[in-house]
């Protein structure tokens, strides 16, 4: 595996420049416990200018950062992993707690089939090997929001292993170049979520909400194949889109359905990996990137100042923008792992190994789940590029907003306008309006059919592009009106009467002899001024190309 | 009436010889009279009477629910009972009232059984004497039996009679004493290393440990999840089969129960044992085995042989590793299972609130006795990262070898193994407590505990009285999930030996009704 290098000569954003440097590849030791078996996937070198701005002494102190991620995704299921309690975000505290969730003595775990299917589907989508036999273990630690004193997880034999996640970064000056990178997935394991502790410092009390306790999680372990915050954030974003496409997790970071811990170390290329720190609970993509970049820089600074990196757990203070050591010594705990005796091994089947006469309610067929795999984001983007000829970065933009792709496709269905035109309208004007008003796609007052009608008017040259924008603004304000209604009410149709337009042109020329003079002297910009004047008089209702033709004709006559 | 077996009293209820309420009241009155036995922690009098009234209504309408309708039963106090305190004989759970019924309790209630109360045990079922709970030790009803007292009179005794009472064995001693003293017709125990069979042997009753996976553990407060099985204590083998028929079968709340639909357990009367092969494991002939028990064991083997069965010596070569292996696995699971008792959600909580950690520590120190804390400490040691491979993993491998010993023996054509249940008859309390809990458990579980490692069904059947007038039990071990075959053999044996009924009239002079059907049975295995 090649470890990305950090150099001093780069400018701009972390992933704005792509310098693929095969010379920087080197073997990686297993010094800090990262596994590094197999050379799969591609590795690219990303530049990390933030870290190296002060490293201008040439050839000295080249640092490489190594970033691995542990991602916890809450499984989208009606009930919890091992109990029948409902799963809802923001329900009243302790309203979704079964006897098992509260760890009442004598209660036993019963595995939720839906959660297993979600894990298998996610594993397949991430190119994992699905283990037909996996095991559950107990991980022990005392914490107020962990009622049983242990978490049921899959430490020894997880449900899926050895996968990969491809993610793309846009590079180049205009970000027109898309580079695909791959991060290896070590494993996906099923485990329980914990409850929530709410610390009331004032009254020195801790309040416990067990609604989340026992919700199914997919822990996705990404190998340390990333080299900076932006790469990590992009990989997480791609994983998020995949989970959402699969429906296996809502993966909403703000609601805690996707939580990231980052393992970070720095080293000199060619030397063993450095001591790593773990930055926990990164709950937004933006802070994820910032925390990782901060931590890389901090480690470099520490090492350059002759200090040592401690193998510790840190948290990111988003107000201060820095990582700080966590008070509890979680990192040093011995979790005393033990097999979970109340759950038999989890056995999965494929069509070939399915026992004859097996009750379909009792068995899970991997092949059946594979057939149900929906289109993945990468395939969707590829299709968009192929089908509509749009730019790769636009394909990313269309998938980045919940519901935007569907909106776009519905517009396309109903309009004769060029896909490129539709893309431009959806991504620039429509999305711009949403962002300005902080609205989601499904909250838009403008429906796809309305936008399609508007684009049809534009396409048929019934209105000008400027008028179309006017109509769009009007649509936003007055819900229920159709574009055609607005056009006719506001008299925004392009002037079809050429004689009338000729008269307007003539009048404008008469009124501005100086401009006409300039034009005759050969100033090419003068004609644009006249066109603008004519458009003003016609309230944008005249087609500029037609105006230009008329003006030129009148001048030469 | 109380001296009858479950089947007999069930018939009496059906025929209207007695009503459920009358039966319940008789049991309640006897429970009160025998309170000094300390068999019950909680007597659920109101609930019991209400259930008995319901049952009576059903009988009147002719809609009885079956063999258990109106039958007084008792449940060990480590099974969750909805609305009834469940303590595990520990300070930690004093005052804890579960909001749900264990599956086995629910199944008994669904059949109309009447719950008399919750029975005493060693704290969290850790022990082999029923002497180590916060509610004090359980006294063996045989201490007060005519049979035992008469024998003792023959010997000179300087000590105070009353201080010389006998232990019941454990940890389900309360359940065993409750059945033995006629306060109920069946009781639930739990069996992790012999906790049902051991007290059954000491109290002269039948103690049955079903195959692991046949009966749901949901609601049983665990000791060792991978070995715990709800046990059944009754006065005869048929009764155990009747109760098993109600309890056995898949429970969606316990993923370790088998999926096969349960069949009713009706035992046929075996008339011919000539096709049976009985194995006598040679490793069970240990020096500590009392000569009397050894003698009953060999007489039992001779009995089978004389009736035409094939009796062969077999070897279970890894038996001697069983106790130490059990120690590692048991304490490890205990350390894990006990982690939930932190004073937050339920149970005892100390007054200290300087920090969550201080609260945990004080709560657990106050809540658990030395035995429990000692096992938690040992278990956590075995589970440490640096020790896990050397202890836990090795113990698991040894466990597999022990289980394979049984598989090999059964594959060689043996149908049932015959062994002692205990080393000797019950010992006096004062003698028992000379050794600590760990030493006692290690000694007393020696014949019973390997069975739990292998998940096999086993039953202790009372055989005869010792020279001291105390019951001795022998154990039959069957193939996994061949519980019915095992009980059929046990039933045949029970019929042959005609174990005598306990005679308690000296003590309970006004309980003559208890003994109205007393049979002066002959002891066919007389020394």
């Amino acid at each position: 595996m090649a470890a990305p290098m950090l150099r001093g000569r780069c400018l701009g954003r972390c992933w704005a420049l792509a310098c693929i440097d095969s010379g920087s590849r080197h073997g990686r030791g297993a010094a800090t416990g990262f596994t590094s078996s197999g050379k799969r996937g591609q590795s690219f070198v990303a530049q990390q200018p933030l870290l190296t701005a002060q490293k201008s002494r040439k050839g000295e102190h080249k640092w490489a950062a190594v970033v691995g991620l542990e991602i916890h995704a809450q499984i989208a299921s009606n009930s919890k992993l091992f109990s029948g309690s409902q799963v809802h975000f923001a329900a009243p505290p302790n309203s979704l707690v079964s006897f098992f969730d509260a760890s009442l003595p004598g209660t036993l775990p019963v595995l939720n089939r839906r959660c297993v299917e979600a894990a298998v589907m996610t594993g397949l989508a991430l190119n994992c090997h699905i283990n037909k036999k996996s095991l559950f273990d107990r991980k022990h630690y005392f914490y107020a929001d962990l009622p049983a004193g242990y978490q049921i997880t899959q430490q020894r034999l997880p449900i899926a292993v050895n996968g990969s996640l491809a993610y793309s970064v846009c590079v180049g000056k205009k970000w027109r170049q898309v580079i695909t990178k791959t991060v290896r997935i070590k494993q996906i394991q099923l485990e329980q979520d914990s409850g929530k502790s709410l610390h009331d410092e004032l009254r020195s009390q801790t309040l416990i909400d067990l609604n989340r306790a026992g919700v199914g999680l997919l822990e996705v372990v990404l190998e340390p194949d990333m080299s900076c915050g932006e790469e990590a954030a992009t990989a997480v974003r791609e994983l998020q889109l995949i989970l959402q496409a699969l429906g296996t997790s809502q993966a909403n970071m703000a609601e805690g359905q996707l939580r990231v811990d980052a393992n970070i170390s720095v080293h000199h290329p060619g030397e063993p990996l450095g001591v790593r720190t773990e930055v926990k609970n990164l709950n937004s993509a933006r802070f994820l990137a910032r925390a990782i970049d901060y931590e890389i820089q901090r480690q470099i600074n520490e090492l350059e100042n002759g200090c040592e990196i401690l193998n510790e757990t840190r948290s990111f203070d988003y107000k201060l923008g820095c990582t700080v050591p966590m008070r509890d010594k979680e990192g040093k705990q011995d979790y005393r792992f033990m097999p979970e005796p109340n759950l038999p091994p989890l056995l999965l089947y494929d069509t070939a190994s399915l026992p004859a006469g097996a009750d379909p309610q009792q068995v899970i067929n991997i092949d059946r789940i594979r057939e149900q795999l929906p289109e993945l984001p990468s395939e969707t983007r590829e299709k968009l590029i192929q089908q509509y000829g749009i730019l790769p970065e636009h394909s990313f933009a269309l998938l980045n907003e919940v519901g935007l792709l569907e909106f776009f496709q519905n517009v396309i269905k109903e309009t004769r306008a060029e896909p490129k035109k539709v893309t431009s309208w959806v991504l620039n004007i429509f999305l711009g309006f949403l962002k300005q008003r902080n609205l989601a796609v499904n909250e838009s007052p403008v429906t796809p059919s309305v936008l399609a009608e508007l684009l049809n008017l534009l396409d048929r040259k019934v209105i000008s592009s400027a008028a179309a924008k006017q109509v769009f603004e009007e649509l936003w304000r007055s819900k229920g009106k159709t574009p055609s209604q607005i056009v006719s009410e506001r008299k925004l149709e392009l002037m079809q009467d050429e004689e009338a337009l000729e008269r307007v042109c003539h009048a404008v020329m008469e009124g501005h002899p100086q401009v006409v003079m300039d034009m005759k002297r050969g100033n090419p910009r003068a004609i644009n001024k006249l066109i603008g004047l004519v458009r003003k008089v016609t309230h944008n209702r005249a087609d500029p190309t037609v105006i230009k033709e008329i003006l030129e004709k009148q001048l030469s006559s | 009436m109380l001296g009858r077996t479950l089947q007999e009293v069930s018939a009496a209820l059906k025929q209207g010889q007695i009503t459920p309420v009358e039966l319940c009241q008789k049991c309640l009155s006897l429970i009160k009279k025998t309170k000094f036995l300390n068999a019950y922690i909680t007597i659920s009098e109101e609930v019991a009477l209400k259930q008995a009234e319901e049952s009576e209504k059903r009988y009147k309408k002719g809609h009885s629910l079956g063999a258990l309708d109106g039958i007084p039963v008792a449940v060990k106090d480590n099974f969750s009972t909805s609305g009834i305190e469940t303590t595990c004989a520990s300070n930690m759970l004093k005052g804890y009232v579960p909001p749900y019924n264990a599956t086995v309790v629910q199944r008994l209630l669904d059949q109309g059984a009447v719950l008399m109360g919750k029975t005493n045990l060693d704290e969290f079922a850790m022990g082999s004497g029923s002497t180590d709970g916060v509610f004090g030790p359980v006294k063996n009803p045989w201490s007060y039996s005519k049979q035992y007292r008469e024998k003792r009179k023959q010997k000179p005794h300087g000590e105070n009679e009353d201080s010389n009472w006998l232990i019941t064995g454990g940890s389900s001693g309360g359940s065993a004493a409750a059945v033995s003293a006629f306060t109920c017709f069946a009781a639930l125990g739990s069996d992790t290393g012999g906790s049902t069979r051991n007290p059954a042997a000491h109290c002269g009753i039948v103690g049955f440990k079903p195959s692991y996976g046949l009966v749901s553990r949901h609601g049983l407060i665990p000791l060792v999840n991978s070995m715990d099985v709800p046990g059944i204590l009754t006065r005869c083998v048929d009764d155990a089969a009747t109760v098993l028929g109600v309890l056995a079968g898949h429970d969606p709340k316990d993923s370790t129960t088998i999926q096969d639909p349960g069949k009713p357990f009706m035992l046929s009367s075996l008339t011919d044992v000539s096709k049976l092969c009985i194995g006598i494991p040679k490793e069970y002939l240990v020096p500590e085995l009392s000569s009397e028990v050894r003698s009953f064991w060999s007489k039992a083997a001779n009995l089978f042989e004389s009736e035409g069965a094939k009796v062969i010596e077999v070897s279970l070569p890894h038996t001697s590793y069983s106790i130490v292996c059990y120690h590692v696995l048991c304490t490890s699971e205990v350390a894990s299972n006990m982690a939930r008792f932190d004073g937050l959600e339920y149970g005892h909580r100390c007054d200290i609130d300087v920090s969550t950690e201080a609260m945990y520590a004080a709560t657990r120190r106050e809540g658990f006795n030395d035995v429990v804390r000692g096992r938690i400490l040992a278990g956590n040691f075995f589970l440490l990262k640096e020790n896990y491979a050397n202890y836990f993993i090795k113990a698991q491998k040894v466990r597999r070898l022990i289980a394979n010993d049984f598989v090999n023996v059964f594959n060689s054509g043996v149908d049932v193994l015959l062994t002692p249940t205990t080393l000797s008859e019950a010992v006096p309390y004062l003698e028992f407590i000379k050794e600590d809990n760990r030493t006692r458990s290690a000694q007393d579980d020696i014949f019973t505990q390997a069975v739990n490692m292998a998940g096999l069904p086993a039953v202790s059947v009372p055989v005869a009285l010792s020279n001291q007038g105390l019951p001795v039990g022998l154990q039959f071990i069957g193939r996994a999930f061949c519980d019915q075959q095992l009980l059929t053999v046990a039933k045949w044996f029970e019929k042959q030996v005609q174990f005598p009924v306990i005679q308690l009239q000296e003590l309970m002079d006004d309980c003559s009704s208890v003994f109205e059907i007393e049979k002066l049975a002959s002891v066919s295995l007389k020394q």
Side-chain angles (χ1 to χ4, degrees):
Chain A
M1 272 291 83
M5 310 274 293
L6 308 171
R7 297 247 172 107
R9 58 191 160 83
C10 294
L11 305 163
R13 295 174 64 117
C14 163
W15 39 286
L17 298 165
C19 310
I20 297 169
D21 180 359
S22 59
S24 71
R25 296 180 185 217
H26 62 278
R28 177 182 288 165
T32 56
F34 289 130
T35 58
S36 60
S37 56
K39 295 195 172 190
R40 301 187 302 111
Q42 305 146 270
S43 262
F44 292 88
V45 173
Q47 301 303 322
Q48 186 38 281
L50 278 178
L51 318 176
T52 50
Q54 53 184 272
K55 298 282 126 249
S56 48
R57 286 161 293 176
K58 223 181 160 187
E60 226 179 29
H61 293 304
K62 284 196 284 188
W63 289 104
V66 176
V67 180
L69 300 176
E70 282 171 25
I71 300 164
H72 290 96
Q74 258 185 21
I75 299 170
S77 59
N78 293 328
S79 58
K80 295 183 181 180
L81 180 56
F82 296 120
S83 81
S85 310
Q86 299 292 296
V87 178
H88 283 302
F89 179 71
N94 294 312
S95 62
L96 308 173
V97 186
S98 71
F99 301 149
F100 174 80
D101 304 329
S103 80
L104 291 201
T107 53
L108 299 170
V110 179
L111 184 57
N112 181 343
R113 180 194 177 93
R114 157 71 191 157
C115 293
V116 177
E117 288 170 340
V120 171
M121 184 174 262
T122 306
L124 291 172
L126 295 173
N127 314 302
C128 288
H129 168 75
I130 307 295
N131 281 325
K132 286 192 187 140
K133 177 183 171 185
S134 61
L135 303 171
F136 290 96
D137 303 282
R138 292 179 179 181
K139 174 182 178 177
H140 299 89
Y141 60 97
F142 282 104
Y143 207 78
D145 56 25
L146 187 74
Y150 57 82
Q151 174 199 37
I152 304 178
T153 178
Q154 293 195 297
Q155 188 229 2
R156 289 166 299 166
L157 195 52
I159 192 163
V161 293
N162 295 339
S164 64
L165 169 68
Y167 61 98
S168 297
V169 288
C170 295
V171 294
K173 271 191 181 160
K174 290 182 173 174
W175 302 4
R176 286 288 159 86
Q177 198 184 340
V178 173
I179 285 186
T180 301
K181 303 191 175 197
T182 303
V183 51
R184 292 167 300 151
I185 290 169
K186 186 181 177 208
Q187 64 186 56
I188 299 175
Q189 64 201 47
L190 277 165
E191 63 183 35
Q192 293 173 299
D193 208 341
S194 64
K196 278 181 184 164
S197 296
L198 305 156
H199 302 289
D200 181 347
E201 303 285 346
L202 208 63
R203 271 165 274 189
S204 65
Q205 277 186 333
T206 299
L207 302 168
I208 308 294
D209 179 5
L210 294 181
N211 281 353
R212 205 182 66 179
V215 170
L217 293 179
L218 297 173
E219 179 175 327
V220 183
V221 182
L222 301 191
E223 296 277 18
D225 297 342
M226 291 152 290
S227 64
C228 66
E230 209 61 56
E231 276 188 12
T234 314
V236 169
R237 176 68 184 134
E238 185 66 13
L239 178 63
Q240 190 179 29
L241 288 173
I242 291 172
L243 294 171
Q244 286 165 345
L246 298 173
T248 55
S249 172
Q250 292 176 345
N252 182 339
M253 289 188 96
E255 291 185 3
Q257 287 147 349
L258 197 72
R259 307 191 288 273
V260 182
D261 302 336
N263 288 304
I264 300 156
S265 68
V266 299
H267 70 137
H268 293 301
E271 291 173 17
L273 291 185
V275 176
R276 66 177 161 152
T277 61
E278 185 178 18
V279 183
K280 275 201 172 283
N281 298 325
L282 298 164
N283 296 339
S284 92
R286 196 156 57 95
F287 293 143
L288 170 73
R290 276 173 58 191
I292 291 171
D293 289 342
Y294 174 87
E295 181 61 16
I296 293 170
Q297 188 60 60
R298 186 191 71 84
Q299 291 188 10
I300 292 172
N301 291 347
E302 291 280 329
L303 293 169
E304 301 239 316
N305 293 329
C307 301
E308 282 191 340
I309 302 299
L310 299 175
N311 182 350
E312 63 182 354
T313 306
R314 303 175 69 87
S315 62
F316 183 65
D317 185 324
Y318 64 92
K319 283 177 193 154
L320 300 175
C322 65
T323 65
V324 288
M326 279 170 86
R327 262 180 304 167
D328 65 323
K329 296 179 179 65
E330 235 182 88
K332 285 173 190 164
Q333 280 199 27
D334 188 325
Y335 291 119
R336 290 158 288 134
F337 283 102
M338 176 189 106
E340 167 56 64
N342 294 318
L343 290 166
L346 170 56
L347 300 179
L348 306 173
Y349 301 90
D350 53 25
T351 305
S353 66
L354 200 65
D359 177 359
Q361 289 305 306
Q362 293 294 334
V363 294
I364 288 178
N365 184 341
I366 300 167
D367 292 331
R368 183 62 57 79
I369 294 174
R370 198 190 311 272
E371 286 161 21
Q372 292 166 0
L373 273 179
E375 186 178 276
L376 295 177
S378 56
E379 296 164 344
T380 310
R381 286 189 287 251
E382 192 52 39
K383 266 193 184 170
L384 285 171
I385 294 166
Q386 296 297 327
Q387 199 172 339
Y388 303 121
I390 66 176
L391 293 169
E393 68 265 30
H394 289 162
S395 73
F396 278 92
L398 282 173
L399 263 69
N400 249 338
E401 226 38 64
V402 177
L404 191 61
L405 175 66
E406 199 189 351
F407 188 95
F408 168 81
Q409 285 170 328
N410 285 336
V411 175
I412 289 261
K413 257 183 239 163
E414 297 186 40
T415 184
R416 290 177 1 216
E418 283 286 300
K420 276 187 182 172
K421 192 89 180 161
V422 178
T423 312
S424 152
W425 267 79
V426 167
L427 288 180
N428 298 327
I429 297 164
F430 176 70
L431 196 56
F433 264 75
L434 287 178
K435 295 268 170 191
Q436 235 171 42
R437 289 156 183 80
N438 206 10
L439 291 175
V441 173
N442 63 4
E443 294 169 318
S444 159
V446 177
T447 63
S449 2
V450 168
L451 182 57
E453 189 190 332
L454 177 61
L455 293 180
N456 280 343
L457 293 175
L458 186 64
D459 188 60
R460 293 206 318 266
K461 295 191 189 301
V462 175
I463 50 173
S464 69
S465 170
K469 280 172 195 159
Q470 225 177 309
V471 173
F472 188 79
E473 272 177 59
E474 191 67 25
L475 283 169
W476 212 271
R477 277 195 296 272
S478 44
K479 218 176 166 184
K481 282 189 186 170
T482 66
S484 308
Q485 276 173 336
I486 294 170
V487 166
S488 69
E489 272 173 31
R490 302 250 160 172
K491 299 194 167 53
L492 292 170
E493 304 96 332
L494 282 176
M495 289 177 71
Q496 304 295 340
D497 183 349
E498 201 151 321
E499 274 180 33
L501 191 54
E502 277 172 11
R503 282 197 297 276
V504 174
C505 287
H506 190 72
V508 168
M509 284 168 71
E510 296 264 281
H512 297 85
Q514 189 59 47
V515 185
V516 176
M517 195 69 80
D518 285 351
M519 215 166 77
K520 282 185 172 161
R521 285 194 193 126
N523 182 345
R525 269 186 292 181
I527 192 159
N528 287 343
K529 187 156 189 189
L530 285 177
I531 294 169
L533 289 166
V534 173
R535 290 183 67 192
K536 206 171 172 186
V537 174
T538 59
H539 304 284
N540 282 337
R541 289 168 60 216
D543 188 338
T545 49
V546 180
I547 298 172
K548 196 178 175 194
E549 275 169 29
I550 295 172
L551 286 173
E552 279 168 350
K553 201 168 81 190
Q554 290 190 352
L555 278 168
S556 58
S557 65
Chain B
M1 189 61 72
L2 296 192
R4 299 188 184 190
T5 66
L6 191 159
Q7 284 201 330
E8 288 162 352
V9 84
S10 182
L13 283 169
K14 265 190 200 115
Q15 289 157 14
Q17 293 169 3
I18 191 168
T19 70
V21 174
E22 284 166 7
L23 188 60
C24 178
Q25 279 163 341
K26 276 178 195 282
C27 285
L28 284 170
S29 112
L30 190 51
I31 288 171
K32 284 169 195 166
K33 279 176 192 140
T34 57
K35 203 152 189 203
F36 64 93
L37 293 176
N38 208 10
Y40 289 81
I41 291 174
T42 305
I43 303 163
S44 46
E45 183 168 355
E46 272 180 42
V47 176
L49 283 169
K50 212 176 145 221
Q51 289 167 343
E53 281 162 22
E54 295 295 317
S55 170
E56 195 150 327
K57 281 182 206 160
R58 289 190 294 268
Y59 274 104
K60 275 182 184 152
K61 284 184 194 157
H63 295 152
S64 115
L65 295 170
L68 288 188
D69 204 346
I71 303 290
V73 298
V75 171
K76 190 179 181 181
D77 207 22
N78 59 351
F79 287 94
S80 299
T81 42
S82 179
I84 301 171
E85 189 179 352
T86 299
T87 67
C88 287
S90 174
N91 274 326
M92 187 56 93
L93 284 179
K94 254 189 201 169
Y96 167 65
V97 179
Y100 75 101
N101 278 325
T103 297
V104 284
V105 171
Q106 192 61 50
R107 289 191 178 180
L108 288 176
L109 297 180
D110 288 348
Q111 291 297 311
V114 176
L115 178 61
M116 309 310 293
K118 303 295 290 292
T119 57
N120 206 346
L121 64 154
D122 291 297
E123 183 161 334
F124 281 102
M126 297 181 204
S128 59
S130 300
T131 53
D132 278 334
V134 285
F135 301 100
V138 186
K139 297 180 179 178
N140 191 327
W142 284 85
S143 316
Y144 310 96
S145 70
K146 192 176 161 191
Q147 292 102 323
Y148 178 61
R149 299 234 151 178
E150 277 177 358
K151 296 278 183 184
R152 282 180 62 78
K153 275 178 201 156
Q154 295 162 12
K155 296 175 196 165
H157 278 287
E159 312 145 54
N160 179 354
E161 287 284 311
D162 276 349
S163 72
N164 220 25
W165 52 268
L166 309 157
I167 60 141
T168 54
S171 62
S172 310
S175 288
V179 172
S180 172
F182 306 110
T183 65
C184 62
F185 292 86
L188 295 184
S190 62
D191 195 314
T192 310
S195 280
T196 292
R197 290 159 285 158
N198 174 291
H202 285 329
C203 293
I205 58 172
V206 170
F208 174 54
K209 173 220 172 285
S211 298
Y212 185 89
L214 187 62
V215 178
S216 169
R217 293 178 295 113
H218 172 253
L220 166 61
I221 298 176
L223 176 59
V224 184
N225 296 289
S226 63
M227 299 186 209
D228 291 343
V229 177
I232 299 166
L233 296 120
T234 53
R235 292 202 277 276
C236 71
V237 175
D238 265 327
D239 290 355
T242 302
V243 177
L244 179 66
V246 168
L247 303 185
H250 177 66
D251 177 12
K253 292 175 180 150
D254 178 355
S255 308
T256 62
T257 51
I258 50 158
Q259 292 285 345
D260 301 343
K263 289 171 234 150
F265 286 84
M266 288 304 290
L267 298 185
S268 55
S269 289
L270 202 61
T271 49
D272 177 16
V273 292
S274 66
K275 289 196 181 76
L276 273 184
C277 179
I278 307 289
I280 309 291
K282 62 177 183 188
E283 288 81 7
Y284 282 49
L285 187 61
V286 293
E288 297 86 356
L289 183 63
S290 81
S291 58
E292 252 185 315
V293 175
R294 194 176 69 208
S295 156
F296 284 127
W297 185 19
S298 68
K299 280 171 201 285
N302 291 340
L303 172 66
F304 275 100
E305 201 160 44
S306 68
E307 294 293 324
K310 190 176 160 195
V311 179
I312 55 167
E313 185 185 86
V314 297
S315 175
L316 300 166
H318 297 95
T319 300
S320 62
Y321 306 109
S322 188
I323 291 291
V324 64
C325 167
Y326 175 78
H327 182 67
V328 174
L329 296 176
C330 169
T331 56
S332 298
E333 281 202 39
V334 163
S336 176
N337 287 333
M338 295 293 146
R340 70 188 58 217
F341 299 103
D342 56 12
L344 283 179
E345 279 83 12
Y346 43 79
H348 177 70
R349 187 194 293 192
C350 70
D351 297 328
I352 295 167
D353 60 356
V354 288
S355 74
T356 311
E357 286 74 18
M359 192 276 285
Y360 287 157
T363 295
R364 289 164 69 79
R365 207 190 61 74
E366 292 167 12
F368 294 136
N369 70 6
D370 287 350
V371 176
V372 177
R373 290 215 308 282
R375 290 201 194 182
I376 291 172
L377 182 67
N380 276 318
F381 174 82
F382 297 135
L383 290 178
L384 286 177
K385 208 172 179 182
E386 74 235 45
N387 296 333
Y388 186 74
N390 280 337
Y391 292 93
F392 192 85
I393 297 280
K394 278 206 177 127
Q396 277 190 315
K397 288 179 178 168
V398 174
R399 178 179 185 173
R400 174 71 66 184
L401 292 174
I402 291 166
N404 285 346
D405 280 354
F406 286 105
V407 171
N408 293 338
V409 163
F410 287 123
N411 281 348
S412 75
V414 169
D415 296 301
V416 168
L417 295 168
L418 173 63
T419 78
T421 309
T422 55
L423 288 166
S424 68
E425 70 268 72
V427 297
Y429 175 72
L430 292 175
E431 194 175 314
F432 184 81
I433 58 172
K434 283 179 188 161
E435 300 275 15
D436 67 14
N437 178 294
R438 195 156 81 85
T439 314
R440 277 295 178 193
S441 299
Q443 286 170 354
D444 296 343
D445 287 348
I446 181 164
F447 302 127
T448 48
Q449 179 271 310
V451 164
N452 295 75
M453 295 271 206
L456 305 174
V459 59
S460 178
V461 180
V463 180
L465 297 183
S466 69
N467 278 335
Q468 286 198 78
L470 292 176
V472 169
L474 289 178
Q475 174 179 237
F476 294 94
I477 304 169
R479 290 190 179 98
F481 299 108
C482 294
D483 301 57
Q484 187 159 358
Q485 182 196 30
L486 173 73
L487 290 177
T488 307
V489 173
K491 181 181 171 180
W492 178 87
F493 182 72
E494 177 187 54
K495 198 178 166 199
Q496 307 302 309
V497 298
Q498 291 290 309
F499 179 76
V501 170
I502 184 171
Q503 296 173 30
L504 290 175
Q505 59 267 65
E506 270 181 45
L507 185 83
M508 306 157 190
D509 38 15
D510 55 358
C511 289
S512 52
S513 63
V514 171
F515 308 105
E516 66 194 25
I517 61 140
E518 177 192 323
K519 289 173 270 185
L520 278 170
S522 62
V523 183
S524 64
L525 292 181
K526 264 185 197 140
Q527 295 231 316

